[in-house]
Amino acid sequence: MTTTEQYSGGYSPLIIDQFKQRTFAKQGAFLQPYLTAGLTVLDCGCGPGSMTLDIAELVSPGAVFGIDYSSIQIEQALLLQQQRAITNASFTTGSAYQLPFADEQFDVVFSHAVLYHLQQPEQVLAEFRRVLKSGGLVALRDACHTGDMMMPWHTDLAAAWDTINKVFCHQGGNIYFGFQHKQLLLEQGFEDITVSCSYDTFASDAEKDSIRSYWQQFLNVDHRPLILAQQWLTASELDQQCAALDHWCANPASFFARARCEAIARK
Ligand SMILES: C[S@@+](CC[C@H](N)C(=O)[O-])C[C@H]1O[C@@H](n2cnc3c(N)ncnc32)[C@H](O)[C@@H]1O
């Protein structure tokens, strides 16, 4: 496998719409007690900005900066900002590896569901450390497939997850990354590390349908050419794995609980 980093999440309207449903109250709950009015916060890999704007409301009159590699995401974030009439948020395109911010600019750096897509997360943590004030906090939340529950389990679902893993590895990411937070933060010199875990759950018909569409878009649309070109699967094997997601979704008793590792640490 090659290991050239390329974000595997894609920017289809379907996937962006799902990210827009994320709220800081839910996905950022582990950090919420630390956010107070007046803080300056960076949301790195902010996507379409729904959580960035929630943070802006919490820290007002402080400021939040959202940065993302993708201009598609930043355009969505700016639209959402207009709709919500929030003035203490700024959005810009840029790379997590070379943040366009001064040393010691932020009280808090938040990065949700980003580092597990990256080939060199340790370099990004060093960059987070650079832009954090002394005593500032970094807060991370990432997938860790070890803890996932997609129930009832089936060998075809296991095969689909194996394919998802192959795509992530090929693009430079790691679906098992979350458990590495503490080790990497220690290596970068962070202190007072708090680790927690939580789940994003998909149990109602609408939630299950959304996550089924998400992974089918990932496997059958965004990465189908790669999967076939790499000969990881034949077309009929890939179809079978996508059908397994349909069967899982149609089962009234099924649910998916996606494990997320969380860490907060001080510079
Ligand atoms: C899974 S999405 C998460 C978006 C948002 N944080 C959320 O949870 O809804 C990951 C985001 O990270 C961005 N990203 C990936 N690699 C990046 C990099 N090297 N620098 C900045 N952003 C990056 C992608 O463009 C994408 O919007």
Side-chain angles (χ1 to χ4, degrees):
M1 284 187 190
T2 67
T3 51
T4 305
E5 181 179 313
Q6 199 178 344
Y7 171 62
S8 58
Y11 300 107
S12 65
L14 184 146
I15 285 180
I16 291 181
D17 280 350
Q18 293 198 8
F19 291 161
K20 281 189 197 159
Q21 308 308 316
R22 292 179 176 169
T23 64
F24 189 73
K26 189 168 188 324
Q27 273 79 22
F30 71 110
L31 174 62
Q32 197 152 351
Y34 298 84
L35 292 193
T36 50
L39 294 181
T40 305
V41 180
L42 173 65
D43 182 3
C44 183
C46 62
S50 61
M51 287 191 282
T52 326
L53 295 168
D54 293 345
I55 293 171
E57 289 175 331
L58 284 169
V59 301
S60 176
V64 61
F65 293 77
I67 186 166
D68 200 284
Y69 203 66
S70 159
S71 57
I72 299 171
Q73 299 281 43
I74 294 301
E75 278 165 27
Q76 292 294 319
L78 289 169
L79 272 178
L80 203 57
Q81 179 177 19
Q82 258 185 348
Q83 285 162 13
R84 289 176 58 176
I86 288 175
T87 54
N88 61 329
S90 310
F91 292 97
T92 185
T93 53
S95 168
Y97 288 102
Q98 284 182 305
L99 294 170
F101 300 108
D103 295 356
E104 311 228 330
Q105 187 172 339
F106 295 100
D107 297 296
V108 177
V109 175
F110 173 60
S111 194
H112 183 268
V114 180
L115 264 64
Y116 80 102
H117 288 281
L118 304 186
Q119 198 170 357
Q120 288 160 317
E122 67 287 350
Q123 283 187 18
V124 168
L125 286 180
E127 195 58 356
F128 288 173
R129 193 172 165 82
R130 179 184 69 77
V131 299
L132 269 176
K133 293 177 187 170
S134 183
L137 295 177
V138 61
L140 311 171
R141 189 167 188 260
D142 280 290
C144 186
H145 182 57
T146 317
D148 286 350
M149 289 180 271
M150 190 170 237
M151 300 309 210
W153 195 229
H154 188 281
T155 49
D156 286 343
L157 290 177
W161 275 99
D162 184 53
T163 309
I164 291 166
N165 186 37
K166 283 194 170 84
V167 173
F168 263 77
C169 291
H170 184 272
Q171 311 285 78
N174 177 2
I175 59 171
Y176 297 92
F177 172 75
F179 76 87
Q180 295 180 35
H181 283 158
K182 191 174 181 190
Q183 179 69 36
L184 293 184
L185 287 165
L186 282 170
E187 285 170 9
Q188 293 302 321
F190 286 95
E191 297 175 352
D192 297 341
I193 303 171
T194 305
V195 169
S196 53
C197 298
S198 62
Y199 278 96
D200 290 341
T201 48
F202 304 84
S204 70
D205 288 349
E207 288 165 344
K208 289 195 304 180
D209 194 49
S210 75
I211 200 70
R212 173 190 62 129
S213 319
Y214 181 100
W215 288 119
Q216 286 182 339
Q217 170 84 26
F218 183 98
L219 286 170
N220 212 18
V221 182
D222 293 347
H223 300 295
R224 186 177 181 95
L226 173 73
I227 292 164
L228 299 183
Q230 292 291 326
Q231 300 186 337
W232 293 329
L233 300 175
T234 64
S236 70
E237 285 168 339
L238 179 54
D239 292 342
Q240 188 176 336
Q241 293 179 10
C242 292
L245 290 164
D246 286 328
H247 294 314
W248 168 81
C249 192
N251 181 342
S254 65
F255 69 94
F256 178 41
R258 188 163 199 210
R260 300 287 192 174
C261 290
E262 303 157 342
I264 296 180
R266 192 173 299 282
K267 174 176 173 182

